Amino acid sequence: MILLNPGPVNVSDRVRKALTFPDICHRESECAELMQNIRDKLLKAFVPGAESDYVAILLTGSGTAAVEASLISCLPVGKRVLVVNNGVYGQRMSDIVASQRLGVPEIKLDWDTAPDPEKISVALKHHPEVHTLAIVHHETTLGLINPVSEIAKVADELNRVCVVDSISGLGGEPIDVAGSHMYVVAGTAGKCIQGFPGVSFVLIRKGFIERVVKFPKRSMYLNLARHYEAQEQGSTPFTPAVQVYAAFDEALNELLEEGVRNRAERYARCAQLIREGLQTLGVKSVLSAEQQSNSVSAFYVPEGMTYQHLHACLKERGYIIYAGQGHLNDKIFRIANMGALSQANFSGFLSAFKEVV
């Protein structure tokens, strides 16, 4: 089955084979070595040249675990979070902050509207109690890319901490983590890195994590300081998904061999193939070309069809597409080109789509 949903993704045979990693105890040196290898490769991939300025912290859990851990771990007593919300995953960040009563009124935008860094600067100046600015990099609700580099620079100039949800961005979209002074960036294995779901991570500035260890511990499992201190000692506070970590390690090997920039460019070419192919069939994109990501495209359901029928017919032919969310649930569909997929896979999808419509 060809998965054209934004995670889980199709993985390569070598990543799948890595799941047969030998059974080991998570308290032994073999597991410590595996985790340290992953942490080192994450820094090499996403903060090249600035590896000494950041640390990678591993978590067993989906990408949301990394986002929640980032938001609730990185806030000192008496300070607040300002969330930029222009999609389902921005809303999720707002919900996390609200569950702990740690926020100020969010900056809420339409799903097809990217935030203006100048307006965010004004909002931060009006809220001196805000310590953390939270924003999604790749908002997969519609496949919208937010200008996180510019916004992180604004936050840094005002001595605020920028927390970036790049769950669907890292590995597939350009992002200058170190150059933009991003303090905290959350990612996951099972999207553009082409691993399996179940492992997530946080890239965090080294000087900042030393401050975070003194912040309130608002969660037992999702406290970054607890994981950081254990991992720095070659240990882990809780049992990790060892075999999934082994597959993640192999996925990172693949990413480094291909090159992060090359993967993003490959995704961009595949996305363009899909968009041009559907356009020739009269299917309309939701976003303009300049707004779109390299790995997710949103389209209006063809007139006279329902999403459910379109999905069922394509699934019969071996292709899984993805529904819209919220008020667009029955009006749009999404195609993700993440994963270990070839141009032939997308050409086959376009042929199947043409046959169905």
Side-chain angles (χ1 to χ4, degrees):
M1 191 68 72
I2 302 300
L3 302 179
L4 302 178
N5 52 274
V9 300
N10 290 103
V11 303
S12 69
D13 288 339
R14 63 187 271 195
V15 170
R16 187 174 294 106
K17 186 177 179 181
L19 287 173
T20 62
F21 188 78
D23 297 335
I24 61 173
C25 175
H26 66 294
R27 297 299 179 196
E28 296 297 317
S29 60
E30 293 87 351
C31 187
E33 182 179 355
L34 171 64
M35 294 179 68
Q36 188 58 51
N37 286 340
I38 294 170
R39 297 175 74 202
D40 291 343
K41 289 169 188 175
L42 286 168
L43 298 179
K44 185 176 181 181
F46 300 120
V47 286
E51 291 94 330
S52 62
D53 298 330
Y54 283 80
V55 295
I57 302 172
L58 302 179
L59 298 164
T60 295
S62 70
T64 300
V67 174
E68 182 161 356
S70 299
L71 290 171
I72 67 175
S73 300
C74 298
L75 197 66
V77 173
K79 294 296 184 178
R80 293 291 178 261
V81 181
L82 173 61
V83 176
V84 180
N85 175 358
N86 63 342
V88 168
Y89 297 96
Q91 182 62 52
R92 184 171 296 180
M93 294 178 95
S94 281
D95 291 343
I96 291 167
V97 170
S99 72
Q100 299 269 351
R101 299 181 181 179
L102 297 174
V104 297
E106 65 187 7
I107 296 175
K108 186 147 189 172
L109 303 165
D110 291 338
W111 288 358
D112 61 354
T113 303
D116 180 348
E118 282 296 321
K119 292 183 179 178
I120 289 177
S121 176
V122 171
L124 289 173
K125 290 172 183 175
H126 277 110
H127 287 283
E129 74 277 25
V130 168
H131 169 275
T132 299
L133 175 71
I135 186 168
V136 176
H137 175 204
H138 176 199
E139 182 54 84
T140 53
T141 307
L142 296 179
L144 176 73
I145 293 295
N146 284 323
V148 290
S149 291
E150 295 90 333
I151 288 168
K153 288 176 182 176
V154 166
D156 189 59
E157 288 168 1
L158 295 173
N159 296 315
R160 313 300 173 89
V161 170
C162 188
V163 171
V164 178
D165 168 353
S166 193
I167 300 301
S168 295
L170 288 171
E173 307 293 334
I175 180 170
D176 184 6
V177 173
S180 303
H181 303 291
M182 296 179 191
Y183 278 73
V184 185
V185 180
T188 195
K191 293 186 183 282
C192 300
I193 300 177
Q194 299 180 182
F196 286 101
V199 181
S200 58
F201 59 91
V202 176
L203 307 175
I204 186 166
R205 288 173 70 170
K206 194 170 285 185
F208 184 55
I209 187 62
E210 297 298 341
R211 289 156 51 193
V212 169
V213 298
K214 301 173 184 176
F215 292 172
K217 290 179 171 56
R218 299 180 175 91
S219 169
M220 171 63 75
Y221 189 81
L222 295 178
N223 180 258
L224 288 182
R226 184 171 280 115
H227 288 271
Y228 165 71
E229 290 178 320
Q231 289 173 25
E232 287 293 289
Q233 297 299 317
S235 185
T236 175
F238 310 105
T239 307
V242 178
Q243 276 70 22
V244 183
Y245 277 52
F248 186 26
D249 185 52
E250 191 60 32
L252 285 168
N253 288 338
E254 283 189 337
L255 176 63
L256 290 169
E257 289 166 17
E258 182 175 7
V260 177
R261 178 180 294 182
N262 291 337
R263 177 163 297 180
E265 291 174 352
R266 172 167 65 87
Y267 279 10
R269 290 192 299 272
C270 292
Q272 190 63 22
L273 176 67
I274 293 166
R275 291 162 190 165
E276 289 177 355
L278 291 184
Q279 185 178 21
T280 63
L281 297 175
V283 182
K284 297 179 181 178
S285 293
V286 177
L287 297 178
S288 62
E290 61 272 13
Q291 293 176 299
Q292 293 172 323
S293 72
N294 291 335
S295 59
V296 174
S297 307
F299 302 94
Y300 290 103
V301 175
E303 203 170 323
M305 297 191 76
T306 64
Y307 169 78
Q308 290 77 13
H309 179 68
L310 181 63
H311 176 274
C313 290
L314 287 169
K315 186 174 182 179
E316 287 175 2
R317 292 159 173 79
Y319 299 94
I320 298 295
I321 63 172
Y322 216 49
Q325 294 172 288
H327 65 283
L328 295 177
N329 177 256
D330 58 351
K331 295 180 175 65
I332 71 168
F333 66 97
R334 290 175 290 167
I335 303 296
N337 51 276
M338 304 172 180
L341 299 173
S342 67
Q343 186 167 321
N345 295 133
F346 300 114
S347 296
F349 161 72
L350 290 170
S351 296
F353 195 97
K354 183 177 181 180
E355 183 181 317
V356 169
V357 300

